[in-house]
Amino acid sequence: MSKKIYVVDDEQNIRDIICSYLKKEGFETKEFVDGESLLEEIKNGDFPDMFIIDIMMPGISGFELCNEIRKKDNTPIIIVSARDEELDRILGIEMGADDYLMKPFSPRELLARVNAIFRRVDGPGKNDKPSLPVCKDIKIYPDERRIVKISGDTETEIAFTAMEFNFITFMVTNKNKVFNRDQLLQQIWGYQYTGDDTRAVDDLVKRIRKKLDAANTEFAIETVWGYGYKVTDQSIAKE
């Protein structure tokens, strides 16, 4: 079954370009001219496999739309926007977006990012039965794509987006290794960023840390100053 992608943008030509390329790639698409019409579509839980959302739209902005979607579901979100301010990119990530692409953009680059996210979401070897990584007080369920906090015999799920889940899983399963931002972009996003786009890694880590703090976990992503990030193996075990 082909994956369904909802495209939200008030510019008809942008929607036409995005949907045309997505359809050629085999995706099913549905267009929305504003956030209100999208929220009406998904109010009963009819979520697609991915959202591609513009920021600057009349009525509900793309930021607000991301926030509303995240209240209900962790479906991957890519923001496309003519705004390239650092604060806009950070806000988009904090609101729950998995990626941020500036207009004008190459449709091929958008496709690369879409496919990269789906590769991470679907993952290889779906029929495999991997062991459950445990780090300090969190446990990862790869098949179910869930991360829980362990407290005695109680497990409490922490809601992470697809990209956040992939980042944590990669870091835990590559324990005690230090990765720089370029390496993480290649491993987590699945393609090569350029220039200061490496800030996407820092933005993602900030968002993850905020959720971990809110859940009062012992697990931490450690900063290796001047280089990148790591997760130590001191409390990691396998079931």
Side-chain angles (χ1 to χ4, degrees):
M1 181 181 294
S2 63
K3 293 187 179 297
K4 182 187 296 184
I5 300 178
Y6 286 176
V7 179
V8 193
D9 198 305
D10 61 321
E11 297 183 56
Q12 179 70 55
N13 62 319
I14 297 295
R15 296 199 309 273
D16 289 345
I17 292 171
I18 293 175
C19 290
S20 174
Y21 274 81
L22 289 175
K23 289 176 180 177
K24 289 179 182 178
E25 193 74 4
F27 296 112
E28 179 183 347
T29 66
K30 189 167 185 177
E31 301 179 32
F32 299 85
V33 298
D34 53 38
E36 288 84 353
S37 59
L38 175 68
L39 291 178
E40 180 66 23
E41 177 75 15
I42 65 175
K43 68 179 182 181
N44 294 322
D46 182 21
F47 288 93
D49 297 289
M50 178 182 290
F51 295 96
I52 297 177
I53 299 173
D54 181 32
I55 288 180
M56 301 173 64
M57 296 184 292
I60 299 176
S61 72
F63 291 138
E64 295 172 298
L65 196 53
C66 284
N67 191 43
E68 289 300 315
I69 292 171
R70 282 291 170 258
K71 291 178 181 178
K72 303 175 181 179
D73 195 76
N74 283 323
T75 300
I77 299 172
I78 296 178
I79 284 181
V80 292
S81 175
R83 296 167 59 166
D84 190 34
E85 295 295 326
E86 178 181 334
L87 288 177
D88 289 328
R89 296 198 300 273
I90 293 173
L91 182 57
I93 295 296
E94 289 180 343
M95 286 295 183
D98 295 278
D99 208 342
Y100 191 110
L101 185 60
M102 180 185 172
K103 296 179 181 177
F105 55 84
S106 162
R108 290 185 178 180
E109 182 178 3
L110 176 61
L111 281 176
R113 299 191 182 202
V114 168
N115 286 321
I117 289 176
F118 280 142
R119 283 196 299 272
R120 296 308 186 269
V121 169
D122 294 339
K126 281 191 168 183
N127 294 324
D128 296 342
K129 295 296 181 183
S131 57
L132 303 181
V134 177
C135 183
K136 296 186 179 178
D137 59 348
I138 70 162
K139 180 189 292 184
I140 302 172
Y141 288 87
D143 288 345
E144 302 171 26
R145 295 190 63 80
R146 295 192 304 122
I147 296 177
V148 301
K149 176 187 175 183
I150 306 168
S151 181
D153 295 329
T154 303
E155 295 184 353
T156 304
E157 184 171 356
I158 307 173
F160 290 105
T161 67
M163 197 67 71
E164 293 165 354
F165 177 91
N166 294 337
F167 187 94
I168 294 173
T169 301
F170 176 78
M171 296 301 290
V172 170
T173 54
N174 289 276
K175 57 186 179 180
N176 212 35
K177 296 180 181 179
V178 182
F179 295 93
N180 63 36
R181 290 164 179 80
D182 289 329
Q183 290 171 325
L184 289 168
L185 285 167
Q186 185 65 35
Q187 290 293 330
I188 309 302
W189 277 258
Y191 57 91
Q192 197 68 46
Y193 272 75
T194 58
D196 65 358
D197 280 341
T198 54
R199 283 300 303 270
V201 174
D202 297 331
D203 296 342
L204 185 66
V205 170
K206 288 178 183 177
R207 192 173 83 195
I208 291 172
R209 285 174 171 168
K210 185 176 180 180
K211 292 184 177 182
L212 293 171
D213 289 343
N216 195 29
T217 70
E218 297 175 4
F219 173 77
I221 298 170
E222 301 178 30
T223 298
V224 179
W225 295 108
Y227 192 79
Y229 299 98
K230 70 174 181 178
V231 167
T232 61
D233 64 351
Q234 293 178 346
S235 298
I236 293 179
K238 294 282 188 177
E239 285 195 350

